[in-house]
Amino acid sequence: MADPKGFLTTTREEPKRRPVDLRLMDWREVYEDFATTKLQKQAGRCMDCGIPFCHQGCPLGNLIPEWNTLTWREDWQQAIERLHATNNFPEFTGTLCPAPCETACVLGINDDPVTIKRVEISIIDRAFDEGWVTPQPPVALTGKKVAVVGSGPSGLAAAQQLTRAGHSVVVLERADKIGGLLRYGIPEFKMEKSRLDRRLDQMRAEGTEFRTSVNVGVDLPVSELSAYDAVVLAGGATDWRDLPIPGRDLAGIHQAMEFLPPANRVASGELDVSPFDAKGLDVVVIGGGDTGADCVGTSHRQGARSVTQLEIMPKPPEARSDAHPWPTYPMIYRVSSAHEEGGERLYAVNTQEFLGDADGRVRALKLVEVRNEGGKFVPVPGSERELPAQLVLLAMGFLGPQKQGLLEELGVELDARGNVARDKAFKTSLDNVFVAGDMGRGQSLIVWAIAEGRSAAAGVDAYLTGRDVLPRPIAPTDRPIA
């Protein structure tokens, strides 16, 4: 245990967010620096439980009590060693993961849980600053070639593990830069892309090859994958959910993943103005999840006149309910940095129709309040109203991987949910083709994506060499604590 009285004498504290009026002027991350002395006290709140449920909350099995203790002792080099032992990219999870480890923290039973994410990101930031994150090239090469299709967190994790195991790995990405959703789906204010770029530099130095603007099944024939001894499919769940109601064909209605990538290109200096700029417009975001919040924060920075986020579910409770007991991840009311910046959130409402102007552009939404009756959302009589909107963003989740092109040409089997089916080694119905991340699991969290990439890499390495040396943090059938 770090500090035997830490959880008794120290209250939970997180770094402050930069003032709203200042952070809306740029795309930088929103948090201010956090003093090392404060961080040590926060790490000292860890109780070093006999059964640390934070391990169960995290699919990577992060050694959280260990690196909390090392942080409290200021043994930073050992802390990053323990952190990297289970997680290839703690800078990604430390900024983007919703932290199911914290909601599973034993201290959270009757107190505020440990600030695990803040300790995690502080360790990896210190390690990069001190030059402790160095390339780990393989000791010997196996002579085997592996193609990883997709460069999101699962693809990158699989690629790094396989490269370090001695295989010649090439990552094929259809966008013009590496990173998948980390690059163009996640706004800069949530994770600055310098974090991604410095990790990619390490991977290149280790021997991983990256090829961009390669859409397998379109630009590159699927038949050319036969040149590789093994293939890892890590293309994500990109088949977005639509809203086929009257007026859907009006101009000004876009999917979140049509809106966010060009906004990220503006933030990085690749574009001057986004083709879907929200400046001076009434923006409505349909969908109450993280992607919707990303659209809210992006719209604020583009200078939207108003921003409203809609959710069909009722407003969650402020604290855990009996339906979500510890250590499960609770459905509670959360205020992200984007919500703190302004706008309105409407719950228990459904969009019935998009209304257009004389030029064929959306001008408003027809809304109705709903109540849940036996699992169905029933309109509340007399609650219909119009909500002005000149830009509508659909952020209602994803239905699974894109089937056209790569998957159809490969002919891999799909499961009942439309994801790529795989066995216990993450191998698909094709002998040398494996799948990792949302393409096999369905839409999930970044921490699960990294765990999938690590586990799939273990399956690939065993298939190619017959050995059992890479870690397998999860099985394909594992699910969050429920």
Side-chain angles (χ1 to χ4, degrees):
M1 180 179 290
D3 181 354
K5 296 183 178 180
F7 65 96
L8 298 174
T9 59
T10 303
T11 58
R12 179 183 170 103
E13 182 181 2
E14 296 206 65
K16 295 180 180 179
R17 293 167 178 166
R18 293 190 291 129
V20 170
D21 57 344
L22 292 180
R23 70 185 192 234
L24 289 183
M25 298 172 64
D26 59 45
W27 294 89
R28 292 173 41 228
E29 290 177 14
V30 302
Y31 288 101
E32 295 180 349
D33 292 337
F34 200 52
T36 300
T37 52
K38 289 185 176 182
L39 183 75
Q40 287 177 270
K41 287 185 177 181
Q42 291 303 305
R45 295 183 71 236
C46 180
M47 300 189 297
D48 195 13
C49 313
I51 301 178
F53 270 80
C54 54
H55 286 192
Q56 280 67 42
C58 176
L60 284 167
N62 280 338
L63 306 173
I64 295 164
E66 294 186 31
W67 40 260
N68 273 328
T69 296
L70 292 165
T71 298
W72 185 77
R73 294 175 180 169
E74 289 192 275
D75 192 346
W76 296 99
Q77 283 188 277
Q78 281 297 310
I80 188 56
E81 187 276 330
R82 302 313 292 149
L83 185 51
H84 269 151
T86 57
N87 187 354
N88 297 71
F89 313 124
E91 65 272 31
F92 301 164
T93 50
T95 51
L96 303 176
C97 183
C101 54
E102 292 191 12
T103 57
C105 174
V106 173
L107 184 57
I109 295 176
N110 62 352
D111 200 348
D112 292 327
V114 176
T115 56
I116 297 171
K117 266 183 67 172
R118 177 49 44 187
V119 176
E120 178 181 32
I121 192 62
S122 298
I123 293 171
I124 183 59
D125 281 349
R126 170 72 69 100
F128 270 111
D129 290 343
E130 297 288 348
W132 298 331
V133 183
T134 58
Q136 299 180 33
V139 176
L141 297 178
T142 64
K144 301 294 185 180
K145 297 191 298 182
V146 181
V148 177
V149 183
S151 67
S154 63
L156 292 179
Q160 186 168 63
Q161 292 292 94
L162 290 167
T163 297
R164 291 176 173 179
H167 307 297
S168 297
V169 179
V170 58
V171 178
L172 306 174
E173 168 58 50
R174 64 182 176 181
D176 57 355
K177 285 191 176 181
I178 294 294
L181 289 183
L182 294 171
R183 174 72 64 185
Y184 291 126
I186 301 297
E188 193 90 357
F189 59 81
K190 286 182 69 174
M191 189 189 79
E192 293 178 13
K193 301 306 172 277
S194 57
R195 298 187 184 277
L196 171 60
D197 291 333
R198 67 188 182 186
R199 185 62 75 172
L200 295 177
D201 288 342
Q202 180 202 34
M203 293 181 66
R204 290 187 183 96
E206 292 172 346
T208 302
E209 178 187 353
F210 295 106
R211 293 176 57 190
T212 58
S213 301
V214 179
N215 191 348
V216 183
V218 179
D219 306 315
L220 181 76
V222 168
S223 59
E224 293 197 20
L225 294 178
S226 61
Y228 298 92
D229 298 293
V231 175
V232 179
L233 305 178
T238 57
D239 184 12
W240 51 55
R241 181 177 281 106
D242 210 333
L243 187 58
I245 60 174
R248 174 62 181 88
D249 58 344
L250 291 167
I253 303 171
H254 306 283
Q255 289 285 346
M257 286 305 154
E258 294 175 312
F259 172 73
L260 291 172
N264 277 336
R265 290 181 183 273
V266 171
S268 65
E270 297 176 45
L271 289 178
D272 292 329
V273 180
S274 169
F276 312 114
D277 199 285
K279 185 175 182 179
L281 303 180
D282 298 305
V283 179
V284 173
V285 180
I286 301 179
D290 287 343
T291 302
D294 293 345
C295 292
V296 170
T298 299
S299 298
H300 288 319
R301 282 160 180 76
Q302 291 181 342
R305 178 166 53 197
S306 70
V307 183
T308 307
Q309 188 175 15
L310 310 181
E311 171 57 58
I312 196 170
M313 299 294 291
K315 183 179 179 179
E318 298 283 345
R320 280 187 188 271
S321 67
D322 292 340
H324 300 98
W326 176 89
T328 62
Y329 191 80
M331 294 297 293
I332 60 174
Y333 181 72
R334 294 179 170 89
V335 178
S336 72
S337 65
H339 299 133
E340 185 183 64
E341 292 161 1
E344 185 177 8
R345 303 164 78 180
L346 301 180
Y347 290 91
V349 294
N350 192 22
T351 305
Q352 294 181 310
E353 183 179 357
F354 298 115
L355 305 175
D357 60 19
D359 296 323
R361 292 193 58 85
V362 66
R363 65 169 180 83
L365 282 70
K366 184 182 290 186
L367 290 185
V368 63
E369 295 178 16
V370 294
R371 57 173 175 259
N372 193 331
E373 294 184 0
K376 294 184 178 181
F377 295 102
V378 179
V380 176
S383 64
E384 296 87 356
R385 62 188 175 99
E386 288 188 16
L387 181 66
Q390 300 85 50
L391 177 62
V392 177
L393 304 173
L394 307 180
M396 302 181 297
F398 300 87
L399 301 173
Q402 178 182 322
K403 312 303 188 298
Q404 300 81 10
L406 173 61
L407 297 185
E408 287 185 350
E409 289 193 37
L410 275 176
V412 293
E413 291 182 5
L414 305 178
D415 63 20
R417 299 177 62 195
N419 303 316
V420 178
R422 64 262 185 96
D423 66 12
K424 63 181 181 181
F426 290 80
K427 188 166 67 173
T428 71
S429 56
L430 302 181
D431 183 55
N432 69 333
V433 180
F434 296 73
V435 64
D438 291 0
M439 189 170 262
R441 174 170 293 272
Q443 184 181 1
S444 189
L445 305 179
I446 186 170
V447 68
W448 281 92
I450 296 172
E452 288 249 341
R454 288 172 65 88
S455 298
V460 173
D461 184 67
Y463 167 81
L464 293 176
T465 67
R467 63 192 181 187
D468 184 15
V469 296
L470 293 182
R472 304 168 184 259
I474 60 171
T477 53
D478 285 349
R479 293 293 182 267
I481 297 175

